[in-house]
Structures are given as structure tokens and as C-alpha cells.
Amino acid sequence: MTDIADPLAYDLYAAARDFDRISEALEFLGDRWRDHPDLAAAAAAAGLSPHHFQRVFSRWVGVSPKKYVGALAHSAAREALADGANILDASYEAGLSGPGRLHDLFIAHEAVTPGQARARGAGLSFFWGMAPTPFGPGVFLVSPRGLSALAFADPDLDTAFDDLHRRYPAAQYTRDDDEALRWATRIFCESGGPVPLALYGTPWQRQVWRALLGIPSGQTVTYRDIASEVCTPKASRAVGAAVGANPVSWLIPCHRVLASDGRLTGYHWGVNRKRAMLAYEAASA
């Protein structure tokens, strides 16, 4: 029999006991985060007093209810800015009353202003170029610290480069196809050490990307699996946004993430390419 006096065992029993209530609260917050519900409303959804709910939620999820809602709002605003929205529109997309509150949100989550986030890449210098890969023409973006992006030139090079440029609009770019070929050879033809990556994303995005790196070759997981690893299964939607923002195809293997029903959905560089990557890995296993 488990000794209930053992602190670790007690934590496990407490977590199991609280799961249903926290699950209800996460669903409530996931559906209504744009309204920024207050602590009392979220606690009511869990059937707990505000004080008890704050303590249980923070212990179970790892952050307070307010910070959890803030993370969802920040992710939505980040995505809107990446899609070209202005700061006012991004504020509304995040369910905020205006740019002032968006400014506070970004300072809290990234220590940068929304304007600085929108002008990503300021002060960075990239080499970029095109080279062949097993999955079609690849576009490589390289900073002095390592590979920052690997995309595919579908339907053409300009479209692929524009996609990367939108991620880092204020950076300086120098084209060098020979440099791209060296990186393609290193990634796809050599079996040496790890490839250095220089990733520029939010702390949340980098946390999800690290989880992707842990998926073994030839295996697949669901968005819910990744959410369970980095936070909670109820964060699948926020995880999906971070997976979709992955700038480095193949090496950060977002192609190994499937929908909950096993479908090949949501791949930035095309479902057919995702299928080919999985088949390539299966054949090489």
C-alpha cells in the first residue's frame, strides 16, 4: 500500500483528485480567453472558491490562471502581427481594449514591445540561398550562430523567401547559394554531429520546438501529446500555433505531429511533403 504520508505520493493523489476540476477550468478558459475572464468566473467553472482555485490551478498547470490566459492572448497577438496586422488590430485579436494593454502583455511575456516584436530581425544579418534537398528545392536562412530557417520553394523561390522575410522583416539579407548548398549537404548527406540552430521565437514557441526535437525519427505524436509534455492537454490549440510557427522544417520535426485522429493535417509546406517525409524516415529506420 502506498504511504499517503509520503510527500510525493500525496502530490500524485492531489493531482489526480484535482484533474476533473482543472480540466473543466481549462476548457472554460480555452473557450473564453478573449473575454479575459476574472478569477471568480474561472473558479466558478471549477466549482471552487477563488482562493482555492488559484492555488490548485497554479500547482497543477504551473502558472496562474491569469498568466495562462495571458499566454493564449499573447500567442494570438503574435500570430496576428506575423500575418501583417497592425498593433491596434493585434490588440483586438487578443481580446484587449487597445495598444496599451498589448504593450503590457508583450513586456510581460517577451520583455519587448509589440513594435519590436513586429519588427523581428532588427540587427540580424542572414545569408540565404536555395539548394536541392530530398523533398524539393530548399531555402536556407543562416545567421552567424547557425541555421535559422529551412523552407521549401513551393511553388517558387520568391514565395518561399517572402515567407521567411515576413518572419524577420527588419533583418539584413545576403544571397549565397553556395552557402545554402553546404548546409544542405551537411543536413541531408552527412552523418556528423548536431546541426547548430539559431532560433528566434517567443519563450513559449521555443519550449514547443524543444519538445518537437524529442520525437524520435520514424515515430509520430499528436498535438495533444506535445501539449501534455509542455503544459497540459487542454493547451493543444496554443501548441498548434507554435508548431505552425516552426521555421526549420525537417530538423525540428513538426512533420511528426498528427491530428488526434491520425490525419496528416496542418503542415506549412504541404501535406504531400509531410507524407513523403514520414515515408522517408520509415524506410530509413
Side-chain angles (χ1 to χ4, degrees), residues 161-261:
F161 175 72
D162 288 345
D163 177 43
L164 298 181
H165 186 271
R166 282 194 298 270
R167 297 171 185 259
Y168 313 105
Q172 299 295 316
Y173 296 88
T174 302
R175 183 165 181 178
D176 189 336
D177 288 341
D178 290 336
E179 179 73 5
L181 181 59
R182 283 191 287 272
W183 280 90
T185 301
R186 179 175 185 176
I187 293 167
F188 295 105
C189 300
E190 298 175 358
S191 56
V195 175
L197 300 178
L199 302 177
Y200 303 95
T202 69
W204 167 254
Q205 288 173 333
R206 293 196 299 271
Q207 184 179 2
V208 172
W209 298 341
R210 281 193 295 269
L212 295 177
L213 288 169
I215 307 171
S217 177
Q219 298 186 23
T220 59
V221 301
T222 66
Y223 292 100
R224 183 181 177 88
D225 293 330
I226 296 294
S228 297
E229 179 174 343
V230 301
C231 181
T232 167
K234 292 292 184 177
S236 296
R237 182 164 50 187
V239 164
V243 171
N246 168 34
V248 182
S249 67
W250 183 248
L251 291 177
I252 299 180
C254 53
H255 61 278
R256 298 174 190 161
V257 185
L258 309 180
S260 58
D261 59 3

Side-chain angles (χ1 to χ4, degrees), residues 28-37 69 72-73 76 93-95 237:
F28 174 84
L29 295 174
D31 291 340
R32 298 171 175 81
W33 63 266
R34 277 190 172 84
D35 299 328
H36 293 267
V69 170
L72 295 178
E93 180 65 24
R237 182 164 50 187

Side-chain angles (χ1 to χ4, degrees), residues 15-226:
R17 184 188 63 234
D18 295 333
F19 171 76
D20 288 338
R21 285 177 168 174
I22 296 303
S23 179
E24 291 293 328
L26 287 168
E27 184 174 2
F28 174 84
L29 295 174
D31 291 340
R32 298 171 175 81
W33 63 266
R34 277 190 172 84
D35 299 328
H36 293 267
D38 60 19
L39 179 63
L48 298 171
S49 70
H51 175 75
H52 189 198
F53 173 70
Q54 173 87 358
R55 183 164 55 86
V56 171
F57 187 97
S58 299
R59 180 180 63 204
W60 204 96
V61 179
V63 295
S64 69
K66 182 177 181 180
K67 287 185 177 180
Y68 180 74
V69 170
L72 295 178
H74 174 259
S75 178
R78 251 298 189 173
E79 187 173 354
L81 291 173
D83 289 340
N86 60 39
I87 291 175
L88 181 61
D89 288 341
S91 301
Y92 295 148
E93 180 65 24
L96 302 172
S97 58
R101 291 192 63 193
L102 186 68
H103 177 278
D104 294 340
L105 182 70
F106 270 75
I107 290 295
H109 283 266
E110 295 191 51
V112 299
T113 68
Q116 290 169 330
R118 189 166 185 262
R120 284 172 296 176
L124 297 177
S125 296
F126 292 116
F127 287 102
W128 77 279
M130 185 172 70
T133 81
F135 309 108
V139 178
F140 296 77
L141 194 65
V142 184
S143 82
R145 293 174 48 222
L147 183 69
S148 294
L150 168 53
F152 293 99
D154 286 342
D156 55 53
L157 175 63
D158 290 340
T159 300
F161 175 72
D162 288 345
D163 177 43
L164 298 181
H165 186 271
R166 282 194 298 270
R167 297 171 185 259
Y168 313 105
Q172 299 295 316
Y173 296 88
T174 302
R175 183 165 181 178
D176 189 336
D177 288 341
D178 290 336
E179 179 73 5
L181 181 59
R182 283 191 287 272
W183 280 90
T185 301
R186 179 175 185 176
I187 293 167
F188 295 105
C189 300
E190 298 175 358
S191 56
V195 175
L197 300 178
L199 302 177
Y200 303 95
T202 69
W204 167 254
Q205 288 173 333
R206 293 196 299 271
Q207 184 179 2
V208 172
W209 298 341
R210 281 193 295 269
L212 295 177
L213 288 169
I215 307 171
S217 177
Q219 298 186 23
T220 59
V221 301
T222 66
Y223 292 100
R224 183 181 177 88
D225 293 330
I226 296 294

